[in-house]
């Protein structure tokens, strides 16, 4: 089991930047594939970005590619999401998620992540 706590959300103007953090505790952080999802009221939770447990590749939603960067610091048991060039449509609650040694193809699917944080609000004004 792993416990996840997000932080770093806030209110920024369009074009600004934020860095979200997800602190993990429990055990074996480096063995978890990690991801960021986001959700707005009345809509489904959607995939944002992921990084694999083995030091493998990253994956991004088309809407954020080139603006957001996912990274992890295994020594600090922390996942990050650097968000640049923020747009009003990025406004959402952002969640981190984890799945132990997941290496399948459905890395963008909510149903394949067993562990979730409680979310942090990101609001982008025009």
């Amino acid at each position: 089991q792993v416990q996840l706590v997000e932080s770093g959300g806030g209110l920024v103007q369009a074009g600004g930047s934020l860095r979200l953090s997800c602190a993990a505790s429990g055990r074996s952080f480096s063995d978890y594939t990690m991801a960021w999802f986001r959700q707005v009221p009345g809509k489904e939770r959607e995939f944002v970005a992921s990084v694999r447990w083995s030091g493998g590749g990253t994956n991004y939603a088309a809407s954020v590619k080139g603006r957001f960067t996912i990274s992890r610091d295994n020594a600090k048991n922390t996942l990050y999401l650097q968000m640049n060039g923020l747009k009003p449509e990025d406004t959402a609650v952002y969640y981190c998620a984890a799945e132990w040694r997941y290496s399948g193809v459905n890395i963008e699917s909510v149903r394949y992540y067993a562990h979730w944080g409680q979310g942090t609000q990101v609001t982008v004004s025009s």
Side-chain angles (χ1 to χ4, degrees):
Q1 295 290 314
V2 61
Q3 294 76 48
L4 307 173
V5 180
E6 302 95 335
S7 63
L11 174 63
V12 297
Q13 294 184 345
S17 298
L18 283 174
R19 188 176 74 162
L20 305 183
S21 298
C22 174
S25 62
R27 57 181 173 88
S28 302
F29 174 74
S30 63
D31 289 338
Y32 285 87
T33 288
M34 303 294 298
W36 289 98
F37 291 79
R38 65 187 183 187
Q39 188 170 27
V40 299
K43 298 186 69 176
E44 296 181 353
R45 191 167 298 185
E46 69 172 348
F47 173 80
V48 177
S50 65
V51 57
R52 294 189 182 274
W53 69 274
S54 62
T58 57
N59 184 252
Y60 294 92
S63 60
V64 306
K65 190 174 183 179
R67 299 188 297 120
F68 291 9
T69 302
I70 189 171
S71 63
R72 65 194 301 163
D73 188 337
N74 289 336
K76 296 182 178 180
N77 287 359
T78 303
L79 176 75
Y80 301 100
L81 184 68
Q82 179 66 47
M83 304 185 294
N84 299 327
L86 284 163
K87 304 175 181 180
E89 50 263 45
D90 295 319
T91 295
V93 176
Y94 283 71
Y95 299 88
C96 65
E99 181 64 28
W100 190 76
R101 292 189 174 182
Y102 185 76
S103 57
V105 298
N106 297 310
I107 200 166
E108 300 181 8
S109 298
V110 169
R111 67 182 69 186
Y112 291 99
Y113 291 87
H115 309 285
W116 294 86
Q118 294 184 331
T120 185
Q121 176 72 47
V122 172
T123 302
V124 184
S125 62
S126 60

